[in-house]
Amino acid sequence: MDVARLASLASEIDTAAGRIAAFSSETPLLRIPELDRRAGGEIYLKAECLQPTGSFKIRGALNAMSALRETQAVDRVIAFSSGNHGIGVAYAGRCLNMKSVIVVPHDAPVTKVDRIRGLGAEVVFYDRNAEDREEVAARLVAQQPAPLVKPYDDWDTIAGQGTCGLEALRQSTKPFDSAIVCTGGGGLAAGIGTYLRHHNPDASIFTAEPAGWDDHRQSLTLGSRTSAAGTGSQWCDGLLAPIPGELTFGITQANQATGLTASDSSIFRAMLYAWRALGLRLEPSGAVALACVLSNLERFKEQRLLVTLTGGNVDEARFSEALALAGEAA
């Protein structure tokens, strides 16, 4: 990925911010004085869990679908998702008066499936252990032609996700030294990383993944895309992409990112910490970056650090179980 293409992406993120402003929320950049003291620096928590859809995915969906409206005048889209991207596409469809069909794993959290349906989208289930979601979506596209809105490996989606970094930078008085981003397919990390480094080339970007699903960490170390072992738990259902996106990895690698991982127990503790300190109900996937911070405070001493809290779509039973497990692990 050359410098000119990254600069172009940064410009596309500026354009995306204008496209999505009418239907997305500016989420707060939060501070916890006790956490700053422990870290010996300044920790800025970007609360994307407070978006209307409960996650950052609304940004990419709105930008990609708005672009389709502008260039192709389409009124129907298809997407595949473990939950939050599907919610984002369904929400964007309602905002833009577009129909949507979402391919969802049969074991997706009920809360997320209900949100997708509640927003008016059609749900098509598949078995993630026996079927490939992209193949299922491709069959639907062939049967009922409509554009596919990808969850991460698409320029417009990445530009939309990157508006999270743009917004954080506008809310901050100074550039960030580092950013830790919850990472599944890699769209958010690619977008935020590009925008922050465009404005501060010395910024360090870190991907944050659950243990056993650390395909970005391994790929960044090896210098080429590789699959994760998939030996981790299913707690972080939004971050279980088996291999980095081809496009997103090229961008993240060009941004010289470093991979971090978090254990289940550290994720549960991060969820409990966010609940007690901020009153935020994070889903496990949305707490991974915070878990990586809490486990590596010394590494970020004296830094201005941006941390994404990416999602809060978690049902009461799962949230309560995670907090109970956090107490046991303490």
Side-chain angles (χ1 to χ4, degrees), residues 69-251:
R69 267 290 201 202
E70 294 169 10
T71 60
Q72 300 181 37
V74 300
D75 62 1
R76 181 176 182 275
V77 298
I78 294 171
F80 50 81
S81 169
S82 60
N84 282 338
H85 176 61
I87 296 170
V89 169
Y91 179 88
R94 172 166 287 187
C95 293
L96 301 170
N97 196 28
M98 299 170 72
K99 296 180 181 179
S100 55
V101 179
I102 316 298
V103 177
V104 178
H106 72 284
D107 57 352
V110 174
T111 301
K112 294 183 178 181
V113 175
D114 288 346
R115 287 288 302 279
I116 291 171
R117 284 177 166 153
L119 288 165
E122 178 186 346
V123 172
V124 175
F125 288 106
Y126 77 98
D127 182 349
R128 74 166 90 221
N129 297 313
E131 298 177 283
D132 181 279
R133 64 183 188 176
E134 297 193 35
E135 292 178 359
V136 174
R139 287 198 296 271
L140 291 174
V141 169
Q143 294 166 6
Q144 304 175 30
L148 182 66
V149 180
K150 296 183 179 181
Y152 48 85
D153 225 16
D154 173 85
W155 283 112
D156 288 327
T157 300
I158 294 168
Q161 315 301 33
T163 62
C164 180
L166 175 153
E167 195 174 278
L169 198 56
R170 286 179 179 173
Q171 293 169 317
S172 176
T173 57
K174 299 178 183 177
F176 297 101
D177 298 308
S178 299
I180 304 181
V181 185
C182 300
T183 305
L188 186 63
I192 289 179
T194 296
Y195 202 82
L196 294 189
R197 284 177 58 85
H198 181 71
H199 291 274
N200 175 22
D202 293 328
S204 297
I205 309 301
F206 295 85
T207 59
E209 299 170 292
W213 297 97
D214 55 341
D215 45 290
H216 274 82
R217 185 192 67 79
Q218 293 183 47
S219 297
L220 289 166
T221 299
L222 290 172
S224 61
R225 295 165 68 230
T226 188
S227 298
T231 54
S233 73
Q234 302 288 314
W235 272 96
C236 296
D237 59 276
L239 302 181
L240 304 186
I243 189 170
E246 184 175 357
L247 181 56
T248 57
F249 178 71
I251 296 169

Side-chain angles (χ1 to χ4, degrees), residues 24-32 43-59 163-165 167-169 171 176 180-182 188 192 274-275 277-283 286-287 289-290 305-313:
S24 63
S25 295
E26 180 174 308
T27 57
L29 201 57
L30 305 175
R31 301 279 296 279
I32 304 173
I43 311 296
Y44 295 83
L45 306 171
K46 187 62 168 154
E48 287 294 285
C49 53
L50 298 179
Q51 286 286 359
T53 58
S55 90
F56 75 95
K57 289 287 190 177
I58 183 177
R59 296 178 183 271
T163 62
C164 180
E167 195 174 278
L169 198 56
Q171 293 169 317
F176 297 101
I180 304 181
V181 185
C182 300
L188 186 63
I192 289 179
W275 176 244
L278 300 169
L280 294 178
R281 290 167 55 96
L282 297 179
E283 62 185 275
L290 180 57
L305 176 64
L306 176 65
V307 180
T308 61
L309 309 179
T310 50
N313 291 317

